[in-house]
Amino acid sequence: RARVALRRMRSVLTVFGGTLRTAGAPALLAELRWAGALLGGPRDTEVLLELVDELAADADAGLTGAVHELVAAHLADRQDDGRARLLSGMATPRWDALHERIVCLLVSSRATDAGARRAPRQLGRLARRAEKRVEERRVRAIADPSSTALWHAVRKSAKAARYAREVTADLPGAGPAERERADAWKDVTAALGRFQDLVIARELIDAIEPVGADSRADLAALLAGIDSLAARRLGEAQSALLVVSP
């Protein structure tokens, strides 16, 4: 929850930051990114462990019992490392200073000329700009569908658009259409997240040193199964994106 809250704050500041007269906003965004990375390490590995368990239960995934144990042990070590880094980071003055910066943002920010305009119109315009950024990145990714980096860029901008639309959906006077659009963006980010989980899982599993010829073959079969599932997940994400495309 803390990571999601930080991510939401980063997105809102990125999309709507022009409506606030806030000193040190770029530095705050950098610190929010740092804290989010610390919080994300253990959670991302937890998600990957759950994904590996799902693959183990899928007969088409190619995950044997021995390889399941090998991969799970590798991820468990990674999770322990991530937790250690998180606890170490939370014990630093930098972490405490971030709390102070967030409080300062909440109590001392003032509206710019743009921020003084009617919220539904101004924030709606900025939310549409965030959606346009997603569309631009989606077009680039479709032109090179094998580039996971381009799809990751789509996912990051889609999160910003989602959180922006959740803000506009909660404004006074917002109707059901605003909430439906926010929900549609939530579906987009969830679909892209499921695809990204497989991309990360593939990178981590590909880096595992096999033990013997059988292990090498089993890992290769698992990677092939992940590739197949990732292709389906990407198709689902592309379909979800079409729903919100302008």
Side-chain angles (χ1 to χ4, degrees), residues 77-189:
D77 290 341
R78 185 174 185 268
Q79 187 175 39
D80 290 341
D81 291 342
R83 284 174 176 164
R85 285 193 297 271
L86 172 59
L87 293 175
S88 178
M90 291 175 66
T92 62
R94 185 179 182 181
W95 184 272
D96 295 334
L98 174 58
H99 285 214
E100 294 176 4
R101 288 188 182 205
I102 293 172
V103 171
C104 183
L105 169 73
L106 295 174
V107 302
S108 65
S109 294
R110 297 292 181 268
T112 61
D113 291 342
R117 298 168 189 159
R118 289 178 57 83
R121 178 178 298 177
Q122 179 67 6
L123 299 187
R125 182 181 67 83
L126 294 172
R128 287 191 295 275
R129 182 184 296 175
E131 292 177 328
K132 183 179 179 181
R133 188 176 299 111
V134 179
E135 178 63 11
E136 292 170 349
R137 291 183 175 183
R138 183 185 76 88
V139 171
R140 286 198 292 269
I142 289 176
D144 186 6
S146 64
S147 173
T148 57
L150 288 177
W151 285 111
H152 185 49
V154 174
R155 181 186 178 221
K156 289 192 292 184
S157 57
K159 287 179 182 178
R162 168 194 168 181
Y163 294 135
R165 279 305 177 188
E166 288 180 349
V167 169
T168 60
D170 288 335
L171 291 174
E178 284 285 353
R179 176 49 57 188
E180 290 174 4
R181 191 154 187 83
D183 290 342
W185 275 109
K186 184 177 181 179
D187 292 340
V188 168
T189 57

Side-chain angles (χ1 to χ4, degrees), residues 1 7 17 20 26 59 68 105 108 151 164 175 181 186 197-198 210 225 236 241:
R1 290 181 180 179
R7 182 192 302 150
L20 297 174
H68 182 200
L105 169 73
S108 65
W151 285 111
R181 191 154 187 83
K186 184 177 181 179
D197 288 343
L198 288 166
E236 294 168 0
L241 280 162

